[in-house]
Amino acid sequence: MTVKMTAQKRESSNKNSALTELRSKGNVPGVVYGFKTETTPVTVSEIELIKTLRESGRNGVISLEIDGKSTNVVLSDYQMDALKGSFKHVDFLAINMSDELEVAVAVHLTGESAGEKEGGFITQPNREVNVRVKPSDIPDALEVDTTELAIGETITVGDIRGTVSYEILDEDDFILVSATAPRTQEELDELETVSEEDAEPEVVGSEDSEEEDKKEA
């Protein structure tokens, strides 16, 4: 699904004062570039941007209208204000809907694993996979069913590669999820002991130094 959004051209300026003024009015500076498109500085409404991304998803195709002309784009990159949690800048990549793209897709786990039912824990070392796919076929997420995952087992890209209709670029041994056994009381006690040893302050002045002090006296 393609979602529509409007952008306005802006003067190409990197002056902090100009960009700050734009943001203070609820707008986000950005740039459009890519397929059959001249690099064009633009500004978009932050409210409209957030609404659009909620509808389309991070990798969704956006029909971006500039001066009455619509261009199919995806959100290529963005910068956030860490303190305010607002957008500082956005990059839109114009695309050819017939060409495949390389994008990162989130990994979503489904089901309660056999390992969890046995008291184990699920770990997810990698939360995204890189895929190559046509823009119209970009998935919202890669869903991985963990129902049959027992303690000591893992699910890798190689295990699910043949279950999807698009190309996953990561290697077969790229781990998506693991089921691990709960720690025994003995292991927990050992960890607590190590933590206590690490926390002990270093003694200032050893026995050897005390002996040296006596000799010097």
Side-chain angles (χ1 to χ4, degrees), residues 196-207:
E196 289 176 352
E197 290 176 352
D198 290 342
E200 288 181 2
E202 184 179 351
V203 178
V204 179
S206 63
E207 292 182 2

Side-chain angles (χ1 to χ4, degrees), residues 73-86:
V73 302
V74 292
L75 182 63
S76 172
D77 197 9
Y78 62 93
Q79 297 173 13
M80 301 291 293
D81 187 311
L83 295 177
K84 297 179 181 179
S86 57

Side-chain angles (χ1 to χ4, degrees), residues 26-208:
N27 297 312
V28 182
V31 63
V32 181
Y33 62 94
F35 179 69
K36 292 185 177 180
T37 301
E38 292 185 7
T39 300
T40 306
V42 297
T43 179
V44 296
S45 161
E46 182 168 30
I47 292 176
E48 188 178 1
L49 174 63
I50 293 172
K51 179 181 177 182
T52 299
L53 294 179
R54 283 175 178 168
E55 292 181 26
S56 68
R58 169 65 177 84
N59 294 318
V61 179
I62 300 169
S63 177
L64 190 66
E65 182 179 317
I66 308 172
D67 290 346
K69 179 183 177 182
S70 295
T71 302
N72 288 322
V73 302
V74 292
L75 182 63
S76 172
D77 197 9
Y78 62 93
Q79 297 173 13
M80 301 291 293
D81 187 311
L83 295 177
K84 297 179 181 179
S86 57
F87 283 92
K88 291 185 65 177
H89 192 275
V90 289
D91 289 0
F92 295 107
L93 173 66
I95 58 173
N96 181 351
M97 295 295 287
S98 299
D99 290 342
E100 292 183 328
L101 294 175
E102 293 184 9
V103 296
V105 174
V107 177
H108 288 175
L109 305 183
T110 63
E112 183 182 5
S113 71
E116 288 177 294
K117 293 179 181 179
E118 297 169 3
F121 297 95
I122 288 293
T123 58
Q124 190 178 355
N126 296 296
R127 298 180 178 273
E128 288 184 336
V129 291
N130 297 295
V131 307
R132 183 182 289 120
V133 64
K134 287 187 177 180
S136 58
D137 297 327
I138 297 174
D140 292 331
L142 170 63
E143 292 194 350
V144 177
D145 184 4
T146 66
T147 306
E148 302 298 325
L149 187 65
I151 289 176
E153 295 181 342
T154 62
I155 298 177
T156 65
V157 163
D159 296 321
I160 53 90
R161 190 184 295 281
T163 66
V164 296
S165 59
Y166 44 85
E167 181 184 0
I168 302 178
L169 302 177
D170 299 293
E171 298 293 335
D172 281 350
D173 60 358
F174 192 70
I175 297 175
L176 303 177
V177 57
S178 300
T180 58
R183 287 195 172 101
T184 64
Q185 187 60 48
E186 183 180 351
E187 290 174 326
L188 292 173
D189 291 342
E190 288 180 0
L191 286 173
E192 186 176 348
T193 301
V194 171
S195 298
E196 289 176 352
E197 290 176 352
D198 290 342
E200 288 181 2
E202 184 179 351
V203 178
V204 179
S206 63
E207 292 182 2
D208 292 339

